[in-house]
Structures are given as structure tokens and as C-alpha cells.
């Protein structure tokens, strides 16, 4: 009871800003029964109907065309007044069949009932039966609309967009958005706990870590970290603990995720950034670009080693043999485990960000739009893929062998076929993706 009262007092004292205090609605178009030729709709407006009023949603795509990646497009997304809605109105200004575009004025109204509150994000799905819309004499678009429902647990990708305070749920079998969840102010770092059917989202604006159920698809608990002004990155360690970095106030902390409290914290003389847990040596590795070093901590927050990098380290990741560190100015550095002896540098793209080591491959995401692939044990890039500018966080789903790459500039997630090492397409989301985690059955 005491913890609940402290939590309520803490949350009540926080001011909300930006999207955190608003209600939000997204409208996605799902294309079904695709013909063997190009069909295009030019969209002119999307309105939500509420108590005799029509609330306009900002259009994100004026054109919806067959051939779009994974047959889904984000049509509209924005803030709306909270409350109950009873319908949606759609305006179409043009239709194209087989590459020929004609001006058309088409209005459709759909009864759809839902309620949205402050801080929530609700997704509507407009299903377009493309083949059924093409008649012998005229084009008559056939649509149906449904409100999001909690998807099946298991094979889902969770994507946090810090600028729109939302976590988007993408099912890995279709690579489509199927659900959205308003999460709080400024969601950034994320970590998944496969054993406890939950994942954790660091909300910088609220100075808290949100605990989200992978089956319930809702926030099940909130862990306040009031001593930290800018919590951002998180890594899970052993026995239900987590390591948290707060770059703005130069702090690190250990959380007890089972008890839901901050165990200990330490103020540093440098700015900590990204963090990973190295299982082989039971240490947390933290990068500090401004200090040109990587620091190693034990579970008690005791600093045990400083790797003087001589460059600006950014992303950190590890496998059984190496600690991998990206250099903001180009290069991937390898440190052999368990003694952390330098094993040299691999020349990569000019602006590397994140590193991910999976199944004897090392992936490096690059702000300039590249994804570099390095084979384990090699000292050169074996493949360079184009994924899109602003490439940032990565997540790997092993059952289907998909590699997901967050594209911050495009507001999308690229899907890479791990086996063939080629990009399959992009999944559009409502905002700039910061972090992603994958849930497995």
C-alpha cells in the first residue's frame, strides 16, 4: 500500500507535455485481394464523427497504391478530443487503374464505435478489397473498418516512437501494425523479459519505467526513477535486475524489476549512453562518447574496468567471444572476452550507430541509410544493404529470421531477410521509432 501511495504522489506531481496528455487516433489501410496490375487511390481527407461534429485527422499518405510494402499504409494519424466516436468519413479525390489516374470525388461514411481517452492511442484499420472494387463498368471502392483488438500473444514486434508517446505492435507473420498503445511521455529505451512475459519501456518525460504485459498489451506497473532527470537506455541483467543510464544528469542506476524499485544509483563524472549486459563475464558495458571510453560495471554498480577507446564509442553489444563497440566517426571495434583485449577495428560506414550480434553475423546500423553486415571472425564488411536514412535500433526475430531496423527519418521499420541479406520493405508507424523489442512464444 505504501508503494502505491508513493507512486500516485510521484505521478501526480509530474507535468505532461507534448503528446503525452492527448488522445490519439491512427488509421491504417490494409489492402486485400490484390490484382495483377497497379491500382491507386488519391485521398483527400479523413474525419472522425463525434456527437454531430467531424474531427479531421492529419493525412500521412495522400496516395495509397497496390505494391506498397506488406500491403499496409498509414493513412492518417493525429491528436483528437477525447470521448466516444461513432463513425469515420473518407474523401477520395482520384482513382487510378493500370497507371491511368482520373479525378473522382468519392465520399464514404462508416459506422465505427470506439472511445479514446487522454494518453491513449487507438488504431482503426480500413480494409480495402482491391479486386472487388474493380467492376466491369466502373470502379467502386469497397471498404470495411474495424477498431483495433488485442492481438494474439507471442510473435509480435513492439516499437516505441518517442515523439508520439506510443508503442506500436507489429505481428511478425504479416509485418503489419495490428495494435497501438499510448505509453507515456517520451518512450525511449526498451528491454524484453521472455521469462516473465513482459517488456519494459523507459519514459524519459515521466522519469519512470513502464512495465507492459506481452499478453495483456497494457501497462501493468510503473517503476518511478525520480532521482534521474533523463533516463534513456536500459539493459536487463540476471535475477530480475536492470541497468539504467541517464545521460543528461550523468547517472546510472540498478532497478529491481520484481519488487519494482530503484536499488542503488551512482553519479558519474562523465555522460553514460548505451548499455548492454555481457553474460559471459557478468558485467554491464556502458559507452561514453564524450569521455572516449567504455566502462564496465558489476551488479552492485561498482566500476570494474575502463576501456580507453581513443574514439567516440556509441553502440555496444556482445556475444560469447567479443564485445563490439561502434565508433560515431566510422569503425567497429572488437574486444576479446573475457580479458577485453583489443582485437582491432573493422572499417564500416561513416556514421555507425547500433551494433547487433546474432547467429554469427554482426549488423551495424548507420545514420546515412546503410546496414553493414560482418561475418563472425572476419575483419571486413561482407555485405552493405540500403535500408533508409536514420537507421537506428535493430531487433532480430529468429523463428522467421527477420531483422528489423528502425528508420527514424522515414517513421518506419525496415524488414531485412536474414537468410538472403536483402531488404523486403518498410512498415510505416506513427512517429520516429527509437527502440524495438521482439516477443516470442
Amino acid at each position: 500500500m505504501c508503494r502505491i501511495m508513493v507512486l500516485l504522489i510521484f505521478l501526480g506531481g509530474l507535468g505532461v507535455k507534448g503528446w503525452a496528455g492527448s488522445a490519439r487516433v491512427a488509421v491504417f489501410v490494409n489492402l486485400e485481394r490484390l490484382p495483377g496490375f497497379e491500382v491507386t487511390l488519391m485521398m483527400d481527407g479523413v474525419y472522425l464523427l463525434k456527437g454531430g461534429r467531424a474531427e479531421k485527422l492529419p493525412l500521412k499518405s495522400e496516395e495509397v497504391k497496390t505494391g506498397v510494402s506488406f500491403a499496409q499504409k498509414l493513412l492518417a494519424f493525429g491528436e483528437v478530443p477525447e470521448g466516444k466516436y461513432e463513425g469515420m468519413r473518407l474523401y477520395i479525390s482520384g482513382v487510378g487503374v493500370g497507371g491511368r489516374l482520373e479525378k473522382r470525388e468519392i465520399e464514404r461514411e462508416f459506422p465505427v464505435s470506439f472511445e479514446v481517452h487522454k494518453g491513449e492511442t487507438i488504431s482503426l484499420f480500413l480494409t480495402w478489397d482491391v479486386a472487388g472494387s474493380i467492376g466491369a463498368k466502373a470502379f467502386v471502392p469497397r471498404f470495411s473498418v474495424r477498431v483495433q483488438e488485442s492481438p494474439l500473444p507471442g510473435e509480435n514486434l513492439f516499437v516505441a516512437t518517442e515523439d508520439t508517446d506510443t508503442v506500436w505492435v507489429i505481428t511478425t507473420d504479416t509485418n503489419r501494425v495490428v495494435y497501438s498503445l499510448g505509453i507515456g511521455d517520451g518512450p525511449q529505451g526498451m528491454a524484453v523479459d521472455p521469462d516473465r512475459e513482459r517488456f519494459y519501456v523507459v519514459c524519459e518525460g515521466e522519469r519512470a519505467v513502464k512495465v507492459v504485459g506481452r499478453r495483456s498489451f497494457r501497462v501493468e506497473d510503473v517503476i518511478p526513477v525520480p532521482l534521474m532527470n533523463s533516463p534513456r537506455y536500459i539493459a536487463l541483467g540476471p535475477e530480475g535486475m536492470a541497468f539504467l543510464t541517464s545521460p543528461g544528469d550523468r547517472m546510472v542506476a540498478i532497478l529491481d524489476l520484481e519488487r519494482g524499485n530503484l536499488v542503488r544509483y551512482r553519479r558519474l563524472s562523465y555522460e553514460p549512453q548505451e548499455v548492454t549486459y555481457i553474460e559471459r563475464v557478468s558485467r554491464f558495458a556502458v559507452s561514453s562518447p564524450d569521455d572516449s571510453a567504455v566502462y564496465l560495471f558489476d551488479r552492485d554498480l561498482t566500476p570494474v574496468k575502463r576501456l580507453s577507446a581513443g574514439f567516440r564509442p556509441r553502440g555496444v553489444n556482445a556475444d560469447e567471444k567479443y564485445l563490439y563497440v561502434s565508433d560515431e566517426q566510422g569503425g567497429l571495434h572488437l574486444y576479446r572476452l573475457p580479458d577485453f583485449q583489443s582485437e582491432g577495428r573493422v572499417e564500416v560506414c561513416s556514421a555507425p550507430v547500433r551494433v547487433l550480434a546474432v547467429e554469427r553475423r554482426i549488423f551495424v546500423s548507420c545514420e546515412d541509410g546503410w546496414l553493414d553486415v560482418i561475418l563472425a571472425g572476419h575483419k571486413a564488411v561482407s555485405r552493405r544493404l540500403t535500408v533508409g536514412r536514420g537507421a537506428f535500433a535493430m531487433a532480430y526475430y529468429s523463428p522467421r529470421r527477420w531483422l528489423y531496423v528502425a528508420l527514424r527519418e522515414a517513421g518506419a521499420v525496415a524488414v531485412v531477410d536474414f537468410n538472403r541479406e536483402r531488404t523486403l520493405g518498410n512498415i510505416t508507424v506513427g512517429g520516429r521509432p527509437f527502440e524495438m523489442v521482439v516477443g516470442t512464444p
Side-chain angles (χ1 to χ4, degrees):
M1 179 63 71
C2 292
R3 177 172 172 257
I4 294 175
M5 291 300 297
V6 170
L7 176 60
L8 291 174
I9 294 171
F10 167 72
L11 293 177
L14 287 176
V16 293
K17 59 181 180 179
W19 290 65
S22 63
R24 304 169 288 269
V25 174
V27 178
F28 290 87
V29 180
N30 291 340
L31 289 73
E32 306 293 350
R33 295 214 304 151
L34 303 178
F37 49 86
E38 182 179 287
V39 183
T40 304
L41 291 182
M42 300 304 298
M43 301 296 187
D44 197 42
V46 176
Y47 293 81
L48 301 178
L49 308 180
K50 176 178 182 288
R53 294 175 53 86
E55 301 288 345
K56 186 175 183 179
L57 271 180
L59 276 178
K60 297 299 180 181
S61 303
E62 294 183 354
E63 179 184 82
V64 178
K65 182 185 298 186
T66 55
V68 64
S69 297
F70 311 112
Q72 185 184 68
K73 190 84 170 182
L74 176 61
L75 177 61
F77 178 48
E79 300 175 75
V80 298
E82 65 173 335
K84 293 183 178 180
Y85 289 83
E86 62 268 4
M88 185 180 81
R89 187 178 299 149
L90 179 68
Y91 292 94
I92 299 172
S93 61
V95 174
V97 179
R100 182 181 177 182
L101 189 65
E102 296 182 357
K103 289 186 177 180
R104 295 275 299 275
E105 291 186 1
I106 301 174
E107 177 184 337
R108 290 286 187 272
E109 192 166 303
F110 310 95
V112 55
S113 178
F114 65 95
E115 187 171 356
V116 60
H117 303 283
K118 288 183 179 180
E120 292 183 345
T121 302
I122 298 292
S123 288
L124 306 180
F125 297 94
L126 177 69
T127 299
W128 175 22
D129 179 357
V130 183
S133 302
I134 304 170
K137 297 182 179 180
F139 180 89
V140 181
R142 296 183 180 275
F143 299 108
S144 61
V145 178
R146 64 177 179 84
V147 184
Q148 69 175 25
E149 296 178 351
S150 296
L152 294 175
E155 299 184 353
N156 297 306
L157 174 73
F158 301 92
V159 182
T161 51
E162 58 177 327
D163 56 334
T164 56
D165 301 326
T166 299
V167 168
W168 308 88
V169 183
I170 296 169
T171 180
T172 58
D173 59 346
T174 63
N175 284 322
R176 288 181 175 182
V177 175
V178 293
Y179 194 78
S180 54
L181 171 69
I183 198 67
D185 192 355
Q188 294 191 315
M190 299 175 71
V192 64
D193 187 340
D195 296 329
R196 293 175 175 81
E197 292 290 340
R198 61 182 64 166
F199 65 93
Y200 305 90
V201 185
V202 181
C203 292
E204 183 176 15
E206 295 184 24
R207 292 182 289 164
V209 175
K210 302 291 182 73
V211 183
V212 183
R214 286 172 43 214
R215 291 185 175 273
S216 66
F217 298 95
R218 63 181 178 84
V219 176
E220 296 179 347
D221 199 1
V222 181
I223 305 174
V225 287
L227 297 175
M228 309 180 93
N229 292 324
S230 58
R232 185 170 304 165
Y233 297 105
I234 186 172
L236 300 192
E239 300 176 6
M241 69 171 59
F243 192 105
L244 199 62
T245 71
S246 182
D249 49 359
R250 300 186 172 189
M251 290 183 64
V252 293
I254 291 289
L255 303 181
D256 185 329
L257 298 175
E258 283 300 298
R259 296 183 178 180
N261 64 339
L262 189 151
V263 177
R264 58 183 60 85
Y265 68 95
R266 177 183 289 270
R267 195 173 297 276
L268 308 172
S269 61
Y270 53 87
E271 188 175 282
Q273 289 284 346
E274 302 198 31
V275 57
T276 192
Y277 179 66
I278 310 173
E279 187 172 0
R280 181 176 176 183
V281 295
S282 301
R283 296 287 184 266
F284 293 95
V286 179
S287 65
S288 179
D290 292 340
D291 201 40
S292 298
V294 175
Y295 290 88
L296 302 174
F297 292 84
D298 65 14
R299 57 187 297 170
D300 295 320
L301 274 190
T302 302
V304 296
K305 193 176 186 66
R306 179 182 187 272
L307 301 177
S308 183
F311 58 89
R312 291 181 59 85
R314 180 69 180 273
V316 286
N317 198 237
D319 57 20
E320 285 298 310
K321 292 185 177 181
Y322 296 100
L323 169 67
Y324 303 96
V325 183
S326 66
D327 178 359
E328 285 186 349
Q329 298 174 324
L332 176 69
H333 295 256
L334 284 66
Y335 296 89
R336 181 175 290 277
L337 302 176
D339 55 6
F340 295 97
Q341 291 299 311
S342 174
E343 288 287 319
R345 176 180 184 272
V346 178
E347 189 72 30
V348 294
C349 55
S350 60
V353 186
R354 289 290 184 89
V355 185
L356 181 64
V358 289
E359 297 189 15
R360 297 191 57 77
R361 286 186 179 95
I362 300 92
F363 295 92
V364 181
S365 62
C366 310
E367 289 182 349
D368 51 7
W370 299 108
L371 177 70
D372 282 358
V373 186
I374 302 165
L375 300 179
H378 292 226
K379 295 295 181 67
V381 173
S382 66
R383 189 79 181 273
R384 175 166 288 175
L385 308 177
T386 301
V387 290
R389 295 190 61 83
F392 193 64
M394 293 176 286
Y396 179 58
Y397 183 58
S398 58
R400 296 185 183 273
R401 299 177 73 82
W402 300 140
L403 178 73
Y404 295 98
V405 185
L407 306 178
R408 289 175 61 74
E409 291 192 18
V413 176
V415 183
V416 176
D417 185 323
F418 183 91
N419 288 329
R420 300 179 183 180
E421 293 183 353
R422 67 184 183 92
T423 303
L424 301 180
N426 292 349
I427 307 165
T428 54
V429 294
R432 290 165 56 86
F434 186 89
E435 192 64 88
M436 305 180 296
V437 294
V438 176
T440 54

